[in-house]
Amino acid sequence: MATTERVIHPLKSLTRAQFAALGGDAVAYMRPVTGAVLGTMIEDAVFEAEAEYQLLMSANGTPLLVTDTEDSVSDWLGENNLGLATLH
């Protein structure tokens, strides 16, 4: 009987420091988050609790951009010469 092994992408197991070392200020990653989560992360900002936003973070964990569309992220990345690290 064959067993199915699930392959885990190596980028998913990196620590924050290891991920930051990959690109420093040249690489970013995008994470979909709810407004409720953003409200706990960003003081003095108001978000719709149930709405989904795109949070763009630098490799070192610094928030760079919050927007409601992936297209806005792509536009911002192009203007700021950053690459997006993708995890599948």
Side-chain angles (χ1 to χ4, degrees), residues 15-32:
T15 66
R16 258 183 206 221
Q18 290 169 324
F19 191 77
L22 287 177
D25 58 359
V27 175
Y29 65 95
M30 182 175 63
R31 177 178 150 198

Side-chain angles (χ1 to χ4, degrees), residues 3-39:
T3 57
T4 304
E5 292 184 30
R6 185 170 181 223
V7 177
I8 298 174
H9 196 283
L11 287 178
K12 289 190 176 191
S13 63
L14 294 178
T15 66
R16 258 183 206 221
Q18 290 169 324
F19 191 77
L22 287 177
D25 58 359
V27 175
Y29 65 95
M30 182 175 63
R31 177 178 150 198
V33 294
T34 64
V37 171
L38 284 173

Side-chain angles (χ1 to χ4, degrees), residues 3 10-11 17 25 29 35-36 40 50 53-54 56 67 77 84 88:
T3 57
L11 287 178
D25 58 359
Y29 65 95
T40 65
E50 299 299 318
Y53 297 89
Q54 303 301 320
L56 187 66
T67 185
L77 288 170
L84 185 64
H88 298 279

